[in-house]
Amino acid sequence: MPDTNDFWPANIADSNLVTPITILKEQAALLGEKTRQLVKGEVVTQTTGSLLVHYFYIVAPTLNYRFELFTISHNVNFYPLVLGYLNKSTSLGSEEDFKAKLKEIFAAPHTLNVVHSILAQVRS
């Protein structure tokens, strides 16, 4: 006999949502693969009230060095999220907008300069 005090729907755990942190961790791992793990991405999360804040770092493990590239913050519903990069904040309303902005940031001269500079120091 079913528990009559259970008011939750049977499919409560069914979800196919992709979180922003999942996207960030995938990209962090890809940076490591592309640089033979000399330079990696790292994602650190903090909570402030109901807000989740994710910091994306470019890391040189052998130098014990990390560079904060950008931050994102969002509430439990993910979007819109706010992305902070180069002292500017941008509100992004969807996963597609977020992915497009990440692609732009990762290809930006500033990011390439940081990665190349760290790689040069690791290799010296």
Side-chain angles (χ1 to χ4, degrees), residues 23-81:
I23 296 166
L24 292 179
K25 286 181 176 182
E26 287 172 349
Q27 295 307 308
L30 287 168
L31 177 60
E33 288 175 20
K34 290 178 178 286
T35 64
R36 297 182 183 169
Q37 306 304 323
L38 294 174
V39 177
K40 300 179 179 183
E42 179 181 302
V43 181
V44 176
T45 301
Q46 294 181 339
T47 57
T48 305
S50 63
L51 203 61
L52 292 162
V53 182
H54 308 293
Y55 299 84
F56 190 96
Y57 293 99
I58 296 176
V59 178
T62 60
L63 298 176
N64 196 27
Y65 176 80
R66 68 183 186 177
F67 177 88
E68 182 182 308
L69 185 61
F70 62 85
T71 63
I72 66 165
S73 58
H74 60 82
N75 65 28
V76 71
N77 293 320
F78 312 148
Y79 301 98
L81 63 74

Side-chain angles (χ1 to χ4, degrees), residues 90-107:
T90 305
S91 181
L92 303 167
S94 68
E95 182 178 326
E96 294 75 28
D97 292 345
F98 179 48
K99 287 179 176 179
K101 189 65 173 177
L102 288 179
K103 187 174 182 178
E104 178 184 314
I105 289 171
F106 293 147

